[in-house]
Amino acid sequence: MILIDGKKEAANLREELKKEVSQLKTKYNKVPGLTVILIGDFTPSQIYVRNKEKSAKEVGLKSEVIKYPDRVEETTILNKIHELNKDETVSGILVQLPLPRHINKKKVIEAIIPEKDVDGFHPMNVGNLSSGYESSVPCTPLGCYLLIKKVEPNLSGKKAVVIGRSNLNGKPMTQLLLKENCTVTITHSKTKDLKGECLKGDIVVAAVGIPELVKGDWIKKDSIVIDVGINKTEKGIVGDVAFDEVSKIAKAITPVPGGVGPMTIACLLKNTIECFKRSQS
Ligand code: NAP
């Protein structure tokens, strides 16, 4: 069984990106810039943003975090985004989710120009991804995709099962696997026989948010299992996959923690660099 080491893969990716940033600096005499907007004092968001900032600086990006109090007006955020859209030193803009209730998520996502949308949430990027055009791809599914490709470089003709259909994870994951010529089944809370569907998968990606939903007898031998879930339980953080059972059957599996999570931030840096490169061409 291959234990897919997301920490190691993310560190390797950051190392590659660091080299690329250094080359870009030589070529253009400037570096890609990432600006993160953080609203309120929700602890997990503060931790994520701190980690993003630290990683961005590590690879040599220009990194900035703009903080607002929870009660900030929506127009203040939208005006700041418009300003950043025009700022040539900013390659990527990210507004940390979740937002306070009085701020309209859709308006915020659509305010960021697609060229600087490092999260890949803008409808234009969503459409481009599903049309097979160049686009920013949401960071977590992009990280999953890179991990899958490390185990199995040729995915053509593989049967992939994605559990969950969120805009953040399930849907973009499906598009990435389709692009690789997988035959993809996307499942969700109304799927009739989830176990039966999973049993057909050469690749199973679980992005649900239910602790250890996917059991050992849901997985066929030699499959690749990617666990996106992060669930707080009495026994600590667990994924959507019953790791102890599934790791005895699968060919390769990501642990939680230490699997998909570390790749997410590395992919954010990758997306920022891609946005910068596209802006220079
Ligand atoms: P979400 O928006 O809540 O979507 C969950 C999806 O799971 C929905 O499509 C839902 O179906 C489906 N679902 C719910 N119950 C199900 C069931 N019993 N059987 C099959 N499908 C079911 O969640 P998300 O934002 O995609 O996040 C999923 C998990 O990933 C969470 O644990 C989250 O914390 C984690 N996450 C991890 C990272 C990372 O970096 N590792 C990043 C983001 C999220 P319906 O559409 O029918 O409701």
Side-chain angles (χ1 to χ4, degrees):
M1 193 270 299
I2 302 167
L3 183 65
I4 304 172
D5 187 343
K7 267 192 188 167
K8 193 178 107 202
E9 295 301 340
N12 291 344
L13 178 56
R14 284 198 303 274
E15 208 43 54
E16 277 173 33
L17 296 175
K18 194 173 172 178
K19 283 186 198 137
E20 192 171 7
V21 171
S22 161
Q23 286 162 2
L24 290 170
K25 191 175 176 181
T26 309
K27 186 168 177 190
Y28 297 108
N29 202 25
K30 55 185 174 182
V31 294
L34 172 65
T35 297
V36 176
I37 295 179
L38 173 63
I39 306 166
D41 51 12
F42 182 52
T43 309
S45 293
Q46 287 179 328
I47 297 170
Y48 288 141
V49 168
R50 210 177 305 137
N51 290 339
K52 285 170 184 173
E53 193 181 20
K54 185 169 160 264
S55 303
K57 283 188 173 151
E58 255 172 44
V59 305
L61 300 185
K62 178 179 151 301
S63 167
E64 179 191 27
V65 178
I66 304 175
K67 293 182 185 171
Y68 291 98
D70 200 47
R71 295 171 315 281
V72 65
E73 284 190 26
E74 186 182 270
T75 47
T76 307
I77 302 300
L78 296 176
N79 287 339
K80 178 49 84 178
I81 294 172
H82 295 318
E83 193 187 301
L84 294 169
N85 281 340
K86 292 187 210 127
D87 185 338
E88 282 186 8
T89 68
V90 175
S91 324
I93 306 166
L94 179 154
V95 179
Q96 182 64 44
L97 302 178
L99 298 175
R101 277 169 182 234
H102 67 282
I103 297 182
N104 184 320
K105 185 169 110 180
K106 188 167 179 281
K107 271 194 197 168
V108 167
I109 288 173
E110 290 177 7
I112 301 171
I113 53 169
E115 293 83 355
K116 295 194 181 189
D117 167 37
V118 278
D119 260 336
F121 294 162
H122 191 287
M124 183 80 90
N125 278 322
V126 176
N128 278 342
L129 177 64
S130 67
S131 308
Y133 299 134
E134 198 170 58
S135 66
S136 281
V137 178
C139 304
T140 301
L142 179 59
C144 295
Y145 164 81
L146 294 175
L147 292 177
I148 295 167
K149 290 278 284 182
K150 280 278 167 190
V151 180
E152 183 60 70
N154 181 7
L155 299 177
S156 186
K158 301 277 181 205
K159 175 101 174 92
V161 179
V162 178
I163 319 175
R165 56 176 163 180
S166 69
N167 291 338
L168 180 66
N169 289 309
K171 283 182 192 149
M173 189 73 241
T174 300
Q175 295 300 343
L176 288 169
L177 292 165
L178 259 183
K179 252 176 130 174
E180 288 290 321
N181 297 319
C182 288
T183 303
V184 191
T185 300
I186 182 160
T187 65
H188 45 76
S189 67
K190 307 290 184 294
T191 295
K192 285 267 162 52
D193 177 16
L194 187 58
K195 175 181 170 181
E197 295 299 339
C198 288
L199 273 168
K200 295 178 203 156
D202 301 308
I203 299 157
V204 175
V205 181
V208 190
I210 299 180
E212 301 183 325
L213 172 75
V214 178
K215 310 290 183 224
D217 62 355
W218 289 30
I219 293 297
K220 79 175 181 188
K221 209 171 158 290
D222 288 339
S223 56
I224 300 171
V225 179
I226 304 292
D227 191 350
V228 180
I230 301 175
N231 307 294
K232 266 192 195 164
T233 68
E234 282 172 0
K235 62 176 188 181
I237 301 282
V238 301
D240 292 340
V241 175
F243 181 87
D244 290 347
E245 293 177 21
V246 174
S247 58
K248 291 193 181 94
I249 316 285
K251 174 170 88 176
I253 184 169
T254 56
V256 176
V260 171
M263 286 298 282
T264 298
I265 293 184
C267 286
L268 170 67
L269 310 178
K270 183 175 166 58
N271 279 351
T272 306
I273 294 167
E274 294 302 325
C275 285
F276 174 85
K277 288 195 294 190
R278 285 198 285 269
S279 74
Q280 302 304 310
S281 56

